[in-house]
């Protein structure tokens, strides 16, 4: 029988060709997420079906040990709960082999809400504690292909989103943010074509659910999101370091792209990218609700004022408390569906305080109003901090990180390698 | 450069002062220290941003900055609004053809028509609007174009009823013109930097159109290309829009004018009173004066001063601090936040409770509560300084190589 690695590969391939819609009734793919019968997403089933691993306590402790820093709130609370090959990354790191981070966003709207920030907040933590470089891809071409927007509008949104992303606190001397419309070409494109050649149309249909009605832009997009996992796509950052591994923090609905990538990687002689995946961020109205751009009350936006936040939480956050105070004192709150407690578990740093709240609220001693008040405090501070940072990100700041955006730099940093001495390229610090 | 180290130093210095019993009130004293502490850091960040190290790399950019410094870049009220005469001179300098007509002060298009209506061309009506997020717009249209604010609001992506007429005070504050004098030319003022301009595409069909040149005792007429030239000269991209169009806006048809919504960090605060902070000039020379008075008064006020209120103060200059890594301001914020927290903690109750241990307790609390906040501030600072270095370097490159 084949040795373990190949067997694992086989499993992945089967999952790769599995139909994207499932018999357990839930649909999870990069463009649609919905639970069975309007219920909650079953993450255990998802892990099984996708074939990734649970992020267990041992791994978290290992991270703390290796980085000499307490684990991030999202790790402690199980927000980032699944992974592929994260242990290998830690092994390599221990040996002294570096890795780099890769994450991204599809800039479909200007308004970012807290759910959008989660992968970035976690990635910043990873960048800080492991001290590794980071590439962030803004898939403005994907949005153009999937939505009814002009190219200019997509580019503009990418630019605006980049500012919000930088405001999450990334060190721009160690971060490369790029938009597809500006960067695709050269070595990056070569990798795209290499990947494209190794995925059949049928496989793509199997993974992404394309139909005969979908235009060919959609069908040929997946390699664009795949190749940032390969260091050779960024010759100006990683030349000479073809062996560098890649870790991708993302929400679990992005898994299909990277299953495909992991399938192809060994065929190209590259390391498979590792993944670390998060839950979905619930809408204000509850797990069953949908966060949608047309309903501003379904989420907290980073542009919301303190008043807006207070209003939204008080009026729209779905409460697991009982209908009357007496009943509540008697039965306690239903923590399973209560949104304020869920949000607090994402954003309240203090473990002890969260435990206390859960205990008291669950027992009925604490009222919904108090929990909501605490949540409003936490969220307001978060949004305010973000706004403060965002105000400091001007177009100039986009220059050093998105090397190709400032017009003057285009000829210097063309990825097609058509240029210049290494001395004219801004050096990105990879190791401190 | 390790921002952790910077944060550590800042907190340690402050704690040392506190624990040794030196009064916190003398902000200026600590101010001296602050320059010693962070000058190496800022230069270091510059170093990291530049790639060819010649020791005069900073001089060219500094000299340039000094040369380009002019009153216009200072905020209101230091910035003098452009006068009508200055505007007309500028139009002449740009070699834009225009004709000027003086008349008694007019406040409406009808009144204006009495004096220039017979000259052909198009009269303009100009609306100064604002949306719910305190962003401002000038809609400049031919007098007979129908402008429906509800439709415009949707097309801009502001929902229904998101646009309304801006209040009179905004006219003076932002456009720096008087009532009845809204005009695209008001965008020449720095205070109007974040105002978005929508121009009626009907202007292009006229041989010339009339606008007020910052004062309503005169009208000037020029053609659309002249207007464009002027707008481009102040760094604006003229956007002509079919103002009467009413395209559907929905899930698959995004608002077609969304790109015209100002994206800059808009400043008008939620509170009705004006933030005193908006008067602090860009290079921060006067910052310490403003702030030391704040810190001193902070001591006199009971700890019940809402943290939010005081937190509001550091969020000053959203527009201005963003453009440079301001060392003084950065340290000032750190000191402000720290001293606030210390003042909050040192009260009778706590003294009774902790007695001699109070210093350690306060110190631990400071570390716990401020650590991530300061790291964020330091990161913003680092990124800004790095950016400055990067641009200084590439600019130098372009000339030297």
């Amino acid at each position: 029988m084949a040795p373990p690695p190949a067997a694992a590969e086989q499993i992945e391939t089967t999952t790769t060709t599995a139909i994207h819609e499932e018999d357990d009734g839930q649909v999870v793919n990069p463009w649609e997420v919905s639970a069975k019968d309007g219920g909650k997403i079953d993450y255990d089933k998802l892990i099984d079906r996708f074939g990734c691993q649970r992020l267990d306590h041992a791994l978290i402790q290992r991270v703390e040990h290796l980085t000499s820093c307490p684990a991030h709130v999202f790790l402690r609370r199980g927000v980032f709960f699944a992974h592929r090959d994260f242990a290998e990354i830690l092994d390599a790191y221990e040996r002294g082999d570096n890795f780099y981070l890769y994450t991204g966003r599809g800039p479909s709207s200007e308004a970012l809400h807290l759910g959008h920030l989660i992968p970035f907040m976690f990635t910043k933590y990873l960048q800080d504690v492991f001290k590794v470089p980071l590439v962030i891809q803004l898939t403005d071409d994907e949005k153009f292909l999937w939505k009814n927007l002009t190219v200019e509008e997509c580019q503009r949104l990418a630019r605006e989103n980049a500012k919000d992303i930088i405001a999450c606190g990334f060190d721009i001397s160690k971060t490369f943010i790029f938009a597809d419309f500006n960067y695709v070409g050269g070595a990056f494109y070569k990798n795209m074509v290499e990947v494209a050649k190794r995925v059949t149309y049928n496989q793509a249909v199997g993974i992404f659910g394309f139909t005969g009605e979908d235009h060919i832009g959609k069908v040929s997009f997946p390699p664009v999101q795949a190749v940032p996992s390969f260091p050779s796509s960024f010759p100006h950052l990683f030349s000479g370091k073809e062996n560098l591994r890649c870790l991708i923090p993302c929400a679990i609905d992005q898994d299909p792209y990277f299953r495909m990538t992991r399938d192809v990687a060994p065929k190209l002689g590259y390391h498979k990218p590792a993944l670390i995946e998060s839950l979905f961020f619930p809408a204000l109205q509850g797990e069953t609700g949908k966060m949608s751009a047309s309903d501003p009350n379904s989420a907290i936006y980073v542009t919301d004022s303190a008043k807006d936040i207070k209003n939204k939480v008080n009026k729209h956050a779905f409460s697991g408390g009982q209908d009357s105070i007496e009943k509540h004192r008697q039965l306690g709150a239903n923590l399973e569906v209560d949104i304020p407690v869920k949000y607090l578990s994402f954003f309240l740093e203090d473990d002890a305080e969260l435990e206390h709240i859960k205990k008291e609220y669950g027992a009925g001693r604490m009222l919904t109003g108090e929990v909501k008040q605490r949540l409003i405090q936490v969220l307001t501070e978060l949004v305010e901090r973000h706004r403060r940072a965002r105000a400091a990100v001007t177009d100039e700041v986009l220059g050093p990180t998105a090397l190709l955006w400032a017009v003057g730099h285009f000829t210097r940093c063309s990825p097609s390698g058509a240029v210049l001495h290494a001395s004219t390229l801004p050096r990105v610090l990879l190791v401190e | 450069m390790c921002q952790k180290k910077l944060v550590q130093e800042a907190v340690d210095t402050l704690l040392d002062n506190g624990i040794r019993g030196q009064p916190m009130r003398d902000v200026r004293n600590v101010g001296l220290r602050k320059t010693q502490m962070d000058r190496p850091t800022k230069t270091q960040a510059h170093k990291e941003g530049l790639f060819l190290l010649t020791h005069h790399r900073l001089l060219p950019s500094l000299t340039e900055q000094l040369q380009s410094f002019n009153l216009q870049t200072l905020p209101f009220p230091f910035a003098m609004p452009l006068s009508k005469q200055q505007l007309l001179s500028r139009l002449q300098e740009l070699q834009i053809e225009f004709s000027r007509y003086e008349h008694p002060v007019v406040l409406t298009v009808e009144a204006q028509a009495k004096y220039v209506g017979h000259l052909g061309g198009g009269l303009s009506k100009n609306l100064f609007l604002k949306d719910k997020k305190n962003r401002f717009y000038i809609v400049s249209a031919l007098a007979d174009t129908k402008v429906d604010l509800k439709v415009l609001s949707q097309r801009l992506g502001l929902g229904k009823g998101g646009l309304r007429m801006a209040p009179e005070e905004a006219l003076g504050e932002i456009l720096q013109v008087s009532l009845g004098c809204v005009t695209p030319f008001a965008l020449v003022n720095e205070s109007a930097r974040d105002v978005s301009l929508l121009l009626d595409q009907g202007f292009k069909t006229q041989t010339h159109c009339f606008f007020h040149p910052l004062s309503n005792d005169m009208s000037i007429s020029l053609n659309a290309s002249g207007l464009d030239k002027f707008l481009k000269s102040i760094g604006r991209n003229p956007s002509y829009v079919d103002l009467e169009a009413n395209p559907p806006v929905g899930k698959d048809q995004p608002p077609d004018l969304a790109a015209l919504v100002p994206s800059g960090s808009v400043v008008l605060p939620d509170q009705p009173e004006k933030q005193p902070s908006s008067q602090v000039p860009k290079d921060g020379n006067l910052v310490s004066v403003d702030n030391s008075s704040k810190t001193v008064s902070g001591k006199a006020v009971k700890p019940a001063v809402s943290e939010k209120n005081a937190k509001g103060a550091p969020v000053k200059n959203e527009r201005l601090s963003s453009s440079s890594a301001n060392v003084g301001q950065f340290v000032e914020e750190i000191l402000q936040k720290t001293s606030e927290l210390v003042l909050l903690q040192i009260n009778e109750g706590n003294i009774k409770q902790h007695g001699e241990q109070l210093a350690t307790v306060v110190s631990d609390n400071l570390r716990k509560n401020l650590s991530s906040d300061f790291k964020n501030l330091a990161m913003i600072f680092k990124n800004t300084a790095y950016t400055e270095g990067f641009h200084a370097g590439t600019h130098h490159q372009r000339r030297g190589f």
Side-chain angles (χ1 to χ4, degrees):
Chain A
M1 201 32 222
E9 243 183 73
Q10 267 192 331
I11 297 175
E12 285 195 46
T13 326
T14 352
T15 333
T16 307
T17 50
I19 310 175
H20 73 293
E21 229 181 69
E22 247 299 285
D23 4 81
D24 63 14
Q26 45 186 30
V27 176
V28 177
N29 64 49
W31 304 284
E32 191 193 338
V33 171
S34 61
K36 175 181 178 180
D37 297 334
K40 277 175 32 170
I41 299 276
D42 187 333
Y43 287 105
D44 287 315
K45 281 223 176 105
L46 204 53
I47 291 189
D48 270 337
R49 188 179 114 207
F50 282 177
C52 38
Q53 266 80 51
R54 274 251 171 214
L55 240 182
D56 58 19
H57 200 64
L59 267 180
I60 301 180
Q61 277 187 320
R62 213 178 145 196
V63 169
E64 289 192 325
H65 178 72
L66 272 177
T67 60
S68 322
C69 280
H72 191 268
V73 141
F74 292 162
L75 276 177
R76 300 199 308 263
R77 309 275 168 79
V79 173
F80 276 82
F81 71 113
H83 75 96
R84 289 182 191 277
D85 287 349
F86 187 47
E88 271 80 350
I89 292 275
L90 295 179
D91 289 339
Y93 186 74
E94 235 171 351
R95 280 195 305 265
D97 288 338
N98 227 341
F99 65 94
Y100 73 101
L101 293 162
Y102 157 42
T103 188
R105 167 166 167 77
S108 59
S109 66
E110 205 155 346
L112 282 180
H113 55 63
L114 294 183
H116 293 136
L117 290 188
I118 289 182
F120 293 113
M121 289 162 71
F122 189 63
T123 308
K124 170 192 154 61
Y125 152 79
L126 289 173
Q127 183 185 55
D128 284 345
V129 299
F130 285 104
K131 301 197 190 341
V132 288
L134 161 66
V135 308
I136 300 184
Q137 178 185 45
L138 288 160
T139 55
D140 44 2
D141 51 350
E142 181 199 5
K143 288 309 154 185
F144 173 71
L145 291 168
W146 261 268
K147 303 250 167 172
N148 186 15
L149 296 164
T150 62
V151 172
E152 286 75 26
E153 182 62 7
C154 291
Q155 289 185 289
R156 188 191 69 86
L157 287 174
R159 185 174 222 107
E160 290 308 311
N161 281 185
K163 292 184 193 164
D164 273 298
I165 292 173
I166 294 174
C168 291
F170 291 108
D171 185 341
I172 61 174
S173 68
K174 298 216 270 299
T175 308
F176 178 55
I177 306 185
F178 66 100
D180 290 340
F181 276 132
N182 281 17
Y183 190 69
V184 170
F188 192 92
Y189 182 62
K190 287 184 195 156
N191 275 342
M192 274 169 58
V193 175
E194 298 256 21
V195 168
K197 192 170 176 179
R198 288 167 173 84
V199 180
T200 67
Y201 178 69
N202 287 335
Q203 281 175 316
V205 169
I207 305 172
F208 301 110
F210 297 132
T211 69
E213 304 305 307
D214 286 316
H215 56 71
I216 56 178
K218 289 189 183 177
V219 179
S220 45
F221 176 73
V224 181
Q225 187 156 330
V227 307
S229 343
F230 307 137
S232 55
S233 306
F234 304 104
H236 71 293
L237 295 178
F238 301 133
S239 75
K241 291 181 166 53
E242 273 75 45
N243 219 19
L244 207 54
R245 287 168 192 271
C246 177
L247 174 64
I248 309 178
C250 60
I252 195 164
D253 63 340
Q254 301 296 311
D255 198 79
Y257 279 118
F258 303 115
R259 284 205 301 274
M260 176 194 81
T261 315
R262 285 169 59 90
D263 220 29
V264 171
K267 300 177 192 168
L268 296 175
Y270 293 140
H271 282 299
K272 294 189 195 181
L275 282 107
I276 182 164
E277 295 159 311
S278 73
L279 312 163
F280 303 115
F281 190 64
L284 262 180
Q285 289 96 337
E287 295 261 20
T288 57
K290 262 212 181 132
M291 274 201 287
S292 97
S294 59
D295 182 5
N297 288 325
S298 61
I300 307 281
Y301 289 89
V302 299
T303 45
D304 281 344
S305 67
K307 211 167 65 167
D308 291 331
I309 297 177
K310 187 164 171 198
N311 220 21
K312 285 186 186 180
V313 172
N314 277 334
K315 292 214 179 103
H316 301 280
F318 186 81
S319 163
Q322 303 298 339
D323 302 326
S324 66
I325 297 194
E326 298 80 36
K327 236 173 137 194
H328 183 83
R329 298 259 188 234
Q330 195 184 19
L331 300 167
N334 181 355
L335 295 181
E336 280 299 303
V337 302
D338 185 85
I339 288 294
V341 159
K342 277 213 176 11
Y343 274 31
L344 279 174
S345 71
F346 277 78
F347 297 118
L348 181 58
E349 298 255 350
D350 190 340
D351 286 339
E353 192 185 343
L354 181 67
E355 270 321 297
H356 176 81
I357 292 179
K358 279 184 169 169
K359 190 161 137 229
E360 298 297 293
Y361 189 45
R365 289 188 287 272
M366 197 183 272
L367 296 179
T368 304
E370 295 171 63
V371 181
K372 282 192 173 181
Q373 202 179 25
R374 184 68 180 111
L375 177 64
I376 292 172
Q377 259 182 336
V378 168
L379 291 181
T380 308
E381 205 181 293
L382 182 68
V383 167
E384 187 47 48
R385 195 183 293 181
H386 184 93
R387 211 209 322 276
R388 168 83 176 76
R390 172 71 168 82
V393 182
T394 59
D395 278 322
E396 278 89 31
V397 180
L398 291 179
T401 156
L403 300 169
L404 306 180
W405 280 6
V407 170
H409 306 309
F410 187 74
T411 48
R412 284 189 168 80
C413 313
S414 158
S416 54
V419 203
L420 335 241
H421 317 274
S423 60
T424 60
L425 289 174
R427 192 132 309 167
V428 175
L429 301 176
L430 296 186
V431 178
E432 270 200 323
Chain B
M1 179 183 75
C2 188
Q3 66 266 31
K4 239 192 209 162
K5 196 155 159 252
L6 175 70
V7 168
Q8 197 68 18
E9 273 187 62
V11 176
D12 286 346
T13 312
L14 201 71
L15 294 179
D16 284 345
N17 275 345
I19 291 175
R20 269 195 236 117
Q22 275 180 30
M24 302 281 251
R25 95 184 60 151
D26 200 344
V27 177
R28 253 152 279 167
N29 234 355
V30 193
L32 280 181
R33 267 179 183 250
K34 81 189 181 212
T35 3
Q36 285 170 11
M37 209 160 57
D38 46 45
R39 194 180 287 135
T41 325
K42 184 172 178 187
T43 326
Q44 211 173 329
H46 260 92
K47 268 197 193 147
E48 289 186 5
L50 299 176
F51 29 92
L52 284 177
L53 308 185
T54 62
H55 41 266
H56 292 301
R57 64 195 179 283
L58 286 178
L59 269 186
S61 80
L62 278 178
T63 339
E64 242 186 64
Q65 276 188 40
L66 282 172
Q67 282 169 353
S68 64
F69 186 79
N70 67 64
L71 278 175
Q72 263 297 308
T73 62
L74 287 177
F76 179 82
F78 292 97
M80 304 301 291
L82 224 61
S83 76
K84 168 181 72 186
Q85 197 44 56
Q86 287 171 310
L87 172 68
L88 296 179
S89 316
R90 201 183 281 198
L91 288 177
Q92 279 163 344
E93 277 169 39
L94 292 167
Q95 293 179 327
I96 297 177
E97 273 190 42
F98 67 94
S99 314
R100 45 192 287 181
Y101 308 91
E102 285 180 16
H103 49 64
V105 163
V106 291
L107 291 178
T108 63
V109 175
E110 293 79 26
Q112 187 187 30
K114 278 195 265 186
Y115 301 105
V116 294
H118 59 286
L119 296 168
L123 292 184
S124 69
K125 63 182 173 194
N126 297 274
L127 306 167
F128 187 42
L129 307 169
K130 103 174 189 46
D131 68 18
K132 292 187 178 163
K133 296 196 176 176
N134 284 326
R135 294 179 291 214
F136 292 85
Y137 309 79
I138 293 184
V139 173
S140 184
L142 288 177
D144 351 311
T145 303
K146 292 199 203 359
V147 175
D148 185 336
L149 288 191
K150 284 201 288 283
V151 168
L152 261 188
S153 171
Q154 280 208 303
R155 287 173 73 188
L156 284 165
L158 304 172
K160 301 190 190 163
L163 270 185
R164 40 197 74 177
M165 302 294 284
E168 240 182 82
E169 310 83 64
L171 210 55
E173 256 174 50
I174 299 187
L175 291 189
Q176 298 189 316
V177 295
S178 58
L179 204 54
C181 196
V182 178
T183 163
F185 291 106
L187 294 179
V188 74
N189 289 316
E190 183 66 12
S191 53
R193 212 166 61 169
D194 289 316
V195 177
S196 175
L197 175 65
L198 279 77
L199 295 167
D200 188 351
Q201 68 184 25
F203 285 145
K204 292 204 204 174
T205 64
Q206 300 284 331
T207 48
H208 53 264
C209 301
F210 290 89
F211 302 94
H212 285 307
L214 303 179
S215 146
N216 32 12
D217 60 359
M218 183 188 283
S219 301
I220 57 173
S221 79
L222 69 169
N223 62 22
S225 51
L227 183 61
D228 288 352
K229 198 167 173 194
F230 171 75
L231 290 172
K232 290 203 184 115
S233 81
I234 54 172
R236 292 284 191 143
N237 222 359
S239 346
Y240 288 90
V241 171
D242 178 1
L243 289 172
E244 291 188 335
N246 189 352
V249 174
K251 190 172 91 135
D252 285 314
Q253 300 101 347
D256 67 318
L257 297 180
L260 294 173
V261 172
S263 60
S265 43
V266 182
V267 187
L268 279 203
D270 274 337
Q271 299 98 319
E273 70 271 326
K274 250 213 315 208
Q275 291 273 29
S277 54
S278 59
Q279 296 181 11
V280 178
K282 183 161 135 178
D283 56 357
N285 273 335
L286 303 180
V287 171
S288 40
V289 171
D290 234 16
N291 272 321
S292 52
S293 63
K294 272 205 188 69
T295 334
V296 169
S297 61
K299 244 186 91 164
V301 177
K302 276 190 276 197
V305 166
S306 74
E307 251 186 282
K308 254 243 269 144
N309 222 359
K311 261 200 190 138
V315 188
K316 57 176 122 226
N317 285 348
E318 277 190 49
R319 259 188 270 178
L320 302 166
S321 64
S322 55
S323 39
S324 65
N326 192 324
V327 165
Q329 195 166 335
F330 173 59
V331 175
E332 204 44 61
E333 262 195 74
I334 293 187
L335 289 176
Q336 173 119 358
K337 291 201 164 151
T338 314
S339 57
E340 262 164 40
L341 206 53
V342 170
L343 292 173
L344 263 175
Q345 309 235 348
I346 300 187
N347 53 48
E348 268 195 57
N350 276 351
I351 295 177
K352 278 204 191 115
Q353 185 181 353
H354 300 285
E356 279 163 19
Q357 301 304 315
L358 186 58
T360 327
V361 168
V362 169
S363 160
D364 286 338
N365 273 341
L366 281 182
R367 218 169 280 262
K368 188 169 118 183
N369 291 332
L370 293 176
S371 169
S372 69
D373 227 355
F374 285 176
K375 281 190 201 153
N376 285 334
L377 285 178
M379 184 58 86
I380 295 175
F381 182 79
K382 177 181 177 181
N383 282 347
T384 315
Y386 183 83
T387 305
E388 287 178 0
F390 178 84
H391 285 283
T394 53
H395 189 76
H396 177 91
Q397 265 245 312
R398 234 176 269 141
R399 280 187 283 143
F401 288 80

